Structures are given as structure tokens and as C-alpha cells.
Amino acid sequence: MTEETKTEKVTFQIEGRDYEGERGESLLGALRRYGYDVPSLCYHEAVSPYGACRLCLVEVKKGRRQKLTTSCNYPVQEGIQVFLDTEKVVRNRKMVLELLLAKAPKAQAVRKLAEQYGVSLDRLQVEEADKDNACILCGLCNRVCDEVVGAHAISFAGRGLHKRMESPYDEVAEDCIGCGACVWICPTDCVGIKEENGIRTIVRWHRDLPMQKCKECGEPFAPTFQLMQFAKAIKAEKGHFDKCPDCR
């Protein structure tokens, strides 16, 4: 694919108004760039789209055909017409929120959206195993770990109702470098991080890592294992990471 193809400009419509975008870019990204409020819990521009949460639904008309689709993994194309909060979109979004609320009742982000759309758990029953669950299986933690960090420390396990995100065999994630990217990107705050007595813990992956102390100020600033991996990746000289960012 040539550079010209990557940045080819196309014209499309949102609610009857003309806009310009780049061919192939995420429709959700384009919608948000132009100020349209489309909910989503599994999308982030730093990683590949996955379409897991199904909340970014819109209707797209291409030629004579109009269909319901997730906008995060739908590419911007020449001439498409996009419709946002149609009756069909809102009805299906409410159903998705109802299911997410039953699966992850402790997820505050889901509860907030459910309240916004007037969705409750009147029709569905929360399983005993899910009563304290806040994970919506969006996969963002896995994608950032694989695609950005490159640690490949966590992944999906199980199928159907038993599908979950976990470290290998739900034991200590030995490949986790403790960077906290998964904690930062999680939309429901269900991974967890804490630092006590010079140890950083990534709670969900059972990973405890000693922190490197700054040579100058003596404050711990990053897991030693993480800095070793960084030094190896960039072939840094010994002592390259012995000072915190503030003291460099």
C-alpha cells in the first residue's frame, strides 16, 4: 500500500452533513473528531479496534443498503451516510447495556451509561459468580500489552459464559513488566495497581515487582524488571536507567 493510498481523502455524511475523512480510518474516531458523542468502552486509538462492547452502534447507508454496525471497526469510505441515535440504534444499545450490566454489575462506567439510557436489571438476573465482577471482556488490556508494550503477559481464556481475561493459568504473569498500561487503559478499573514498601503490584495478574530507586533522590520510580527489559530492547549502557525522570 502506498503512502498516497494511506492518506486518501474521502467525503461522507453524518446526519445529512458532509465531512471529510481518511479512507479506511475508524468511523468512530472520525465521529469523535467532529464532536459527535458516541459511547464505547472497548475502543482506544492506540490499539486495533475489536468491536467487543457493541456500544458504538450506528446505522450506515452505502448505496441502497442500510445496516446497523459497530463504528469502531467500520472503515470510513467515500459516499457513506451515517445515522447516529436512530430508534434501531438506541433500542439495540439499550439491550447491550442490559447484558453488560448483568455481566459486570460492579463496572461503574457501565452503570453510568445504563442510568443515562434508563436501563435496569429488571429483566435479567445476575449470576452469583458475577456479582462482584467489573470486567466487560473488552480486551483493551490484552491489546495494549501485545501491541504497544510487547510483553504478551495476558490473554483470553475459556469460552462462552466462562470466557475471561487472565494471566497464564490464572497464576503469576511472569512476562508482566509492571508498566501499568493495562491499568491505565481499562475502562472499568478492574485490573488494579498499588505500590507499597518499594514493591509495585499489578493486582489482577498477581505480579509483584521490586521498584528501582533513583540514584540521586532515592525515590522508587519504576519496576527493576521493566527497566531491564527496556535497556535490553534499546541496547542501553549499564546505568542508563539509574535515575528517575525528575533527576535526569
Side-chain angles (χ1 to χ4, degrees):
M1 183 178 290
T2 65
E3 189 65 28
E4 289 76 12
T5 303
K6 291 181 182 178
T7 58
E8 180 184 352
K9 300 295 183 180
V10 296
T11 300
F12 65 106
Q13 287 190 345
I14 306 172
E15 299 288 1
R17 299 180 63 182
D18 289 336
Y19 291 91
E20 188 177 72
E22 293 184 5
R23 182 184 296 277
E25 72 170 312
S26 164
L27 177 56
L28 178 58
L31 289 168
R32 289 182 171 175
R33 186 171 71 248
Y34 287 118
Y36 289 96
D37 184 19
V38 180
S40 175
L41 293 176
C42 74
Y43 174 79
H44 194 282
E45 59 273 9
V47 296
S48 58
Y50 186 55
C53 74
R54 319 305 290 179
L55 289 172
C56 65
L57 292 169
V58 296
E59 283 196 78
V60 174
K61 186 175 183 180
K62 183 179 180 182
R64 295 182 178 181
R65 185 183 180 192
Q66 183 166 324
K67 67 175 182 178
L68 192 70
T69 183
T70 48
S71 57
C72 67
N73 53 6
Y74 191 94
V76 170
Q77 302 171 49
E78 178 69 42
I80 61 171
Q81 300 176 56
V82 184
F83 304 95
L84 303 179
D85 296 321
T86 65
E87 181 181 349
K88 189 175 183 180
V89 166
V90 173
R91 183 175 68 250
N92 280 271
R93 188 173 290 156
K94 284 183 174 181
M95 180 180 66
V96 170
L97 279 169
E98 193 174 7
L99 293 170
L100 287 175
L101 194 58
K103 180 62 180 176
K106 291 294 185 179
Q108 290 301 315
V110 174
R111 295 174 70 90
K112 183 177 179 180
L113 280 171
E115 183 178 355
Q116 179 182 330
Y117 280 86
V119 172
S120 65
L121 279 174
D122 294 340
R123 298 192 305 165
L124 298 179
Q125 181 178 355
V126 178
E127 296 293 331
E128 187 65 33
D130 291 327
K131 284 186 176 180
D132 294 320
N133 182 45
C135 178
I136 61 171
L137 301 176
C138 68
L140 276 173
C141 56
N142 168 245
R143 280 175 284 153
V144 76
C145 188
D146 285 354
E147 299 174 17
V148 179
V149 181
H152 312 290
I154 53 178
S155 62
F156 281 115
R159 297 180 180 180
L161 294 175
H162 303 291
K163 187 176 183 180
R164 60 199 181 279
M165 182 66 68
E166 65 175 33
S167 54
Y169 305 105
D170 200 25
E171 297 180 355
V172 176
E174 298 290 349
D175 292 326
C176 171
I177 64 174
C179 65
C182 56
V183 179
W184 174 78
I185 206 170
C186 176
T188 61
D189 299 319
C190 69
V191 179
I193 186 172
K194 61 181 180 180
E195 293 180 2
E196 295 177 351
N197 302 318
I199 302 292
R200 175 179 291 180
T201 300
I202 309 297
V203 179
R204 184 162 184 161
W205 320 133
H206 319 295
R207 185 63 159 159
D208 298 319
L209 290 167
M211 302 278 285
Q212 174 82 13
K213 290 186 177 181
C214 176
K215 185 178 180 180
E216 294 292 328
C217 67
E219 291 296 318
F221 65 96
T224 304
F225 182 72
Q226 174 188 335
L227 298 177
M228 288 172 56
Q229 295 298 102
F230 286 172
K232 182 179 178 181
I234 65 175
K235 299 180 180 179
E237 296 181 1
K238 185 178 180 180
H240 183 79
F241 290 114
D242 61 0
K243 297 179 183 179
C244 70
D246 290 337
C247 292
R248 286 186 184 177

mmCIF file of all heavy atoms in Angstrom, residues 17-18 23 27 36 63 88 102 113 133 153 156 164 189 238:
data_model
loop_
_atom_site.group_PDB
_atom_site.id
_atom_site.type_symbol
_atom_site.label_atom_id
_atom_site.label_comp_id
_atom_site.label_asym_id
_atom_site.label_seq_id
_atom_site.Cartn_x
_atom_site.Cartn_y
_atom_site.Cartn_z
ATOM 1 N N ARG A 17 -24.962 15.825 6.927
ATOM 2 C CA ARG A 17 -23.961 16.861 6.723
ATOM 3 C C ARG A 17 -22.681 16.248 6.169
ATOM 4 O O ARG A 17 -22.284 15.144 6.548
ATOM 5 C CB ARG A 17 -23.661 17.592 8.031
ATOM 6 C CG ARG A 17 -24.856 18.306 8.636
ATOM 7 C CD ARG A 17 -24.493 19.008 9.939
ATOM 8 N NE ARG A 17 -23.504 20.064 9.721
ATOM 9 C CZ ARG A 17 -22.992 20.807 10.705
ATOM 10 N NH1 ARG A 17 -23.379 20.598 11.961
ATOM 11 N NH2 ARG A 17 -22.109 21.746 10.443
ATOM 12 N N ASP A 18 -22.030 16.963 5.244
ATOM 13 C CA ASP A 18 -20.820 16.461 4.599
ATOM 14 C C ASP A 18 -19.591 16.673 5.477
ATOM 15 O O ASP A 18 -19.410 17.737 6.084
ATOM 16 C CB ASP A 18 -20.590 17.167 3.258
ATOM 17 C CG ASP A 18 -21.602 16.749 2.198
ATOM 18 O OD1 ASP A 18 -22.167 15.638 2.334
ATOM 19 O OD2 ASP A 18 -21.826 17.518 1.251
ATOM 20 N N ARG A 23 -9.644 7.627 4.019
ATOM 21 C CA ARG A 23 -10.178 6.311 3.656
ATOM 22 C C ARG A 23 -9.590 5.229 4.561
ATOM 23 O O ARG A 23 -8.380 5.131 4.732
ATOM 24 C CB ARG A 23 -9.854 5.992 2.200
ATOM 25 C CG ARG A 23 -10.432 4.649 1.729
ATOM 26 C CD ARG A 23 -10.017 4.317 0.313
ATOM 27 N NE ARG A 23 -10.559 5.274 -0.638
ATOM 28 C CZ ARG A 23 -11.780 5.225 -1.159
ATOM 29 N NH1 ARG A 23 -12.600 4.248 -0.790
ATOM 30 N NH2 ARG A 23 -12.181 6.115 -2.038
ATOM 31 N N LEU A 27 -14.397 4.728 11.768
ATOM 32 C CA LEU A 27 -15.535 5.630 11.714
ATOM 33 C C LEU A 27 -15.778 6.269 13.075
ATOM 34 O O LEU A 27 -16.094 7.457 13.163
ATOM 35 C CB LEU A 27 -16.783 4.871 11.248
ATOM 36 C CG LEU A 27 -18.096 5.663 11.202
ATOM 37 C CD1 LEU A 27 -17.968 6.909 10.337
ATOM 38 C CD2 LEU A 27 -19.228 4.766 10.688
ATOM 39 N N TYR A 36 -19.015 14.352 17.696
ATOM 40 C CA TYR A 36 -20.211 13.547 17.945
ATOM 41 C C TYR A 36 -19.967 12.609 19.121
ATOM 42 O O TYR A 36 -18.934 11.941 19.201
ATOM 43 C CB TYR A 36 -20.599 12.753 16.693
ATOM 44 C CG TYR A 36 -21.142 13.623 15.587
ATOM 45 C CD1 TYR A 36 -20.315 14.078 14.556
ATOM 46 C CD2 TYR A 36 -22.477 14.021 15.565
ATOM 47 C CE1 TYR A 36 -20.806 14.892 13.534
ATOM 48 C CE2 TYR A 36 -22.975 14.833 14.557
ATOM 49 C CZ TYR A 36 -22.133 15.267 13.549
ATOM 50 O OH TYR A 36 -22.624 16.074 12.555
ATOM 51 N N GLY A 63 -24.840 2.963 -0.709
ATOM 52 C CA GLY A 63 -25.663 2.636 -1.865
ATOM 53 C C GLY A 63 -27.117 2.517 -1.447
ATOM 54 O O GLY A 63 -27.654 3.394 -0.771
ATOM 55 N N LYS A 88 -33.526 2.325 15.977
ATOM 56 C CA LYS A 88 -32.905 0.999 15.937
ATOM 57 C C LYS A 88 -31.598 0.981 16.731
ATOM 58 O O LYS A 88 -31.316 0.029 17.463
ATOM 59 C CB LYS A 88 -32.653 0.596 14.485
ATOM 60 C CG LYS A 88 -32.205 -0.842 14.296
ATOM 61 C CD LYS A 88 -32.098 -1.166 12.814
ATOM 62 C CE LYS A 88 -31.720 -2.622 12.592
ATOM 63 N NZ LYS A 88 -31.624 -2.947 11.133
ATOM 64 N N ALA A 102 -25.661 -6.941 33.553
ATOM 65 C CA ALA A 102 -25.841 -8.239 34.200
ATOM 66 C C ALA A 102 -24.519 -8.984 34.340
ATOM 67 O O ALA A 102 -24.297 -9.704 35.316
ATOM 68 C CB ALA A 102 -26.836 -9.088 33.414
ATOM 69 N N LEU A 113 -23.621 4.579 32.082
ATOM 70 C CA LEU A 113 -24.290 4.573 30.786
ATOM 71 C C LEU A 113 -25.694 3.988 30.890
ATOM 72 O O LEU A 113 -26.624 4.466 30.237
ATOM 73 C CB LEU A 113 -23.460 3.768 29.774
ATOM 74 C CG LEU A 113 -22.268 4.484 29.138
ATOM 75 C CD1 LEU A 113 -21.424 3.502 28.336
ATOM 76 C CD2 LEU A 113 -22.736 5.626 28.235
ATOM 77 N N ASN A 133 -18.195 -8.671 39.758
ATOM 78 C CA ASN A 133 -17.410 -8.535 38.537
ATOM 79 C C ASN A 133 -17.516 -7.139 37.942
ATOM 80 O O ASN A 133 -18.594 -6.539 37.887
ATOM 81 C CB ASN A 133 -17.886 -9.553 37.489
ATOM 82 C CG ASN A 133 -17.073 -9.487 36.218
ATOM 83 O OD1 ASN A 133 -15.845 -9.416 36.257
ATOM 84 N ND2 ASN A 133 -17.744 -9.492 35.086
ATOM 85 N N ALA A 153 1.676 -10.678 28.184
ATOM 86 C CA ALA A 153 1.598 -11.301 29.500
ATOM 87 C C ALA A 153 0.237 -11.871 29.841
ATOM 88 O O ALA A 153 0.115 -12.707 30.742
ATOM 89 C CB ALA A 153 1.996 -10.283 30.574
ATOM 90 N N PHE A 156 -7.107 -13.943 26.683
ATOM 91 C CA PHE A 156 -8.408 -14.532 26.972
ATOM 92 C C PHE A 156 -8.253 -16.024 27.238
ATOM 93 O O PHE A 156 -7.389 -16.688 26.663
ATOM 94 C CB PHE A 156 -9.356 -14.340 25.787
ATOM 95 C CG PHE A 156 -9.966 -12.972 25.702
ATOM 96 C CD1 PHE A 156 -9.670 -12.132 24.633
ATOM 97 C CD2 PHE A 156 -10.840 -12.513 26.676
ATOM 98 C CE1 PHE A 156 -10.231 -10.876 24.542
ATOM 99 C CE2 PHE A 156 -11.409 -11.260 26.605
ATOM 100 C CZ PHE A 156 -11.103 -10.429 25.533
ATOM 101 N N ARG A 164 -12.847 -15.367 29.998
ATOM 102 C CA ARG A 164 -12.300 -14.406 30.959
ATOM 103 C C ARG A 164 -10.918 -13.939 30.488
ATOM 104 O O ARG A 164 -10.280 -14.600 29.655
ATOM 105 C CB ARG A 164 -12.192 -15.044 32.345
ATOM 106 C CG ARG A 164 -11.280 -16.264 32.378
ATOM 107 C CD ARG A 164 -11.509 -17.142 33.586
ATOM 108 N NE ARG A 164 -10.609 -18.297 33.606
ATOM 109 C CZ ARG A 164 -10.817 -19.402 32.902
ATOM 110 N NH1 ARG A 164 -11.889 -19.517 32.122
ATOM 111 N NH2 ARG A 164 -9.969 -20.421 32.974
ATOM 112 N N ASP A 189 -11.703 -0.005 35.459
ATOM 113 C CA ASP A 189 -10.814 -0.011 36.630
ATOM 114 C C ASP A 189 -10.817 -1.348 37.373
ATOM 115 O O ASP A 189 -10.878 -1.387 38.613
ATOM 116 C CB ASP A 189 -11.203 1.106 37.611
ATOM 117 C CG ASP A 189 -11.101 2.487 36.984
ATOM 118 O OD1 ASP A 189 -10.133 2.724 36.244
ATOM 119 O OD2 ASP A 189 -11.997 3.315 37.224
ATOM 120 N N LYS A 238 25.010 0.238 30.795
ATOM 121 C CA LYS A 238 24.736 -0.003 32.203
ATOM 122 C C LYS A 238 24.563 1.337 32.923
ATOM 123 O O LYS A 238 25.337 2.269 32.723
ATOM 124 C CB LYS A 238 25.881 -0.796 32.832
ATOM 125 C CG LYS A 238 25.614 -1.202 34.270
ATOM 126 C CD LYS A 238 26.765 -2.038 34.815
ATOM 127 C CE LYS A 238 26.501 -2.440 36.259
ATOM 128 N NZ LYS A 238 27.609 -3.256 36.819
#
